[in-house]
Amino acid sequence: MNDLDPNKTLLISPERIQKRVGEMGKEISEIFLGKDPIFIGVLNGSFIFLADLLRTISIDCEMDFIKVRSYVGKESSGTIQLIKDISANVTNRHVILVEDIIDSGNTIQFLRERVNSANPKSISVATFLLKPEIAKINFQVDFIGFEIPPEFVVGYGLDFNQKYRHLNGIYRLGNEPA
Ligand code: IMP
Ligand code: MG
């Protein structure tokens, strides 16, 4: 897929994304006022969402990154490897985990447990996308950008074989209607 490839279907426009991210930032700013939260972006996928979200935050906050690799074939296997741990000390801090997408939920489940072992004051989850028909998680996802059907999407940080992260919108691979 490239700019000339007809097989890309826009699912969420850049305009809708920016509007929704602004709403999320406003809500998070209200809820965490005076709490100095630390946002932890999950690399690589969340880097664009985190960058946009942070610029809509109107309260004191900090940020860090964590990197994991999930060994998946065509589906999430549940085997997750920690590539880069957080550098910040999150003990007694309000942590907001920032994900690009929750699919099976295995990655976010792993990350919550990892961060929880450092005894934070609270852990919240902000995900740009959620596939509600697939995600099987036993905790609340606090902030959700968009719920999407169970199909593979790219753009706005999300990749297919490391490509297409730079696209401003969210695209479905293939041009068949939803
Ligand atoms: P999980 O199944 O919730 O553990 O998701 C694992 C990871 O797979 C996510 O953090 C994404 O990086 C990636 N992923 C899941 N669904 C998609 C998709 O539709 N497009 C691109 N990446 C995806
Ligand atoms: Mg990811």
Side-chain angles (χ1 to χ4, degrees):
M1 184 172 75
N2 55 45
D3 282 347
L4 300 174
D5 193 327
N7 288 333
K8 71 175 182 187
T9 310
L10 184 66
L11 197 62
I12 310 173
S13 71
E15 294 73 25
R16 280 181 70 203
I17 290 173
Q18 291 308 318
K19 182 168 179 284
R20 181 70 193 119
V21 171
E23 290 167 358
M24 294 176 84
K26 188 165 182 282
E27 188 185 354
I28 290 171
S29 300
E30 285 166 8
I31 290 172
F32 287 92
L33 178 65
K35 295 184 171 173
D36 192 18
I38 178 162
F39 292 83
I40 300 191
V42 183
L43 291 172
N44 292 333
S46 77
F47 81 109
I48 291 181
F49 174 46
L50 181 64
D52 280 352
L53 182 66
L54 276 190
R55 284 177 286 180
T56 70
I57 298 295
S58 57
I59 58 170
D60 271 348
C61 64
E62 297 175 24
M63 60 145 294
D64 196 6
F65 285 113
I66 194 167
K67 183 164 184 168
V68 290
R69 179 184 295 146
S70 26
Y71 283 95
V72 295
K74 290 204 164 176
E75 292 175 21
S76 285
S77 66
T79 310
I80 292 148
Q81 188 188 0
L82 191 67
I83 306 291
K84 180 215 167 291
D85 206 348
I86 43 176
S87 316
N89 179 4
V90 298
T91 302
N92 228 14
R93 299 288 305 270
H94 293 281
V95 173
I96 304 171
L97 278 168
V98 180
E99 256 287 29
D100 53 353
I101 184 166
I102 296 176
D103 186 347
S104 69
N106 289 328
T107 305
I108 198 66
Q109 186 93 39
F110 171 90
L111 289 167
R112 267 183 114 255
E113 284 163 20
R114 179 82 200 172
V115 169
N116 206 27
S117 67
N119 295 316
K121 198 170 272 177
S122 70
I123 306 181
S124 306
V125 174
T127 189
F128 176 60
L129 298 176
L130 176 75
K131 294 181 184 174
E133 291 175 42
I134 296 180
K136 38 180 179 345
I137 43 180
N138 58 6
F139 57 87
Q140 191 186 343
V141 180
D142 307 87
F143 308 99
I144 300 166
F146 299 92
E147 296 193 356
I148 62 166
E151 55 192 353
F152 202 83
V153 295
V154 297
Y156 201 66
L158 289 100
D159 73 302
F160 176 63
N161 288 343
Q162 300 304 324
K163 296 285 194 296
Y164 318 126
R165 295 192 194 275
H166 65 289
L167 300 175
N168 273 327
I170 288 290
Y171 294 83
R172 172 192 305 130
L173 283 184
N175 56 3
E176 64 285 347

